[in-house]
Amino acid sequence: METELLAELRAVKHRVPHLAGGLVASVDGLLVAHDTHGAEPSALAAMTAASLSLAQRLADTTGQGEFRESLVRGEHGYVATYAAGGSCVLTLLAHPDVNVGRLHLEARRSAQRIVGLLNDTLLPKDPREAG
């Protein structure tokens, strides 16, 4: 599964100009896969989980429903986090000149593909394999 997730991270990086890297983490902050350079992936996965927890509470408290995504803009770029099913998140790092609309479009699609990869790994492909 990690190979497929890494391929997806590299594919979204190829589709979004000015994307610096990304990772897939569990909602508990465990690193699942990463394609990051210059950022410590395990620490970033843990911080993503902490940020996710706050974002989920904020969305719930304000009546906005289930968490879907968050975007942090810093002086030197963006950190964007997207729900990838109920158990994982996709976090992408982007340079300041990224097209944010394109980032959202491709990241949302990528998050859905990640959900599919996770489901394919967790669920048997053939019902006869469940035995």
Side-chain angles (χ1 to χ4, degrees), residues 23-98:
L23 63 82
V24 177
S26 73
V27 295
D28 297 332
L30 299 175
L31 183 64
V32 178
H34 74 92
D35 181 24
T36 57
H37 304 284
E40 167 41 45
S42 294
L44 184 56
M47 286 186 282
T48 294
S51 170
L52 174 65
S53 177
L54 183 58
Q56 286 172 324
R57 288 183 59 203
L58 183 61
D60 185 51
T61 300
T62 58
Q64 303 306 314
E66 222 176 296
F67 170 82
R68 295 286 184 244
E69 59 196 48
S70 69
L71 180 68
V72 175
R73 180 178 177 216
E75 180 181 354
H76 302 293
Y78 297 88
V79 179
T81 301
Y82 302 85
S87 62
C88 286
V89 292
L90 168 65
T91 295
L92 299 174
L93 308 174
H95 298 287
D97 48 355
V98 73

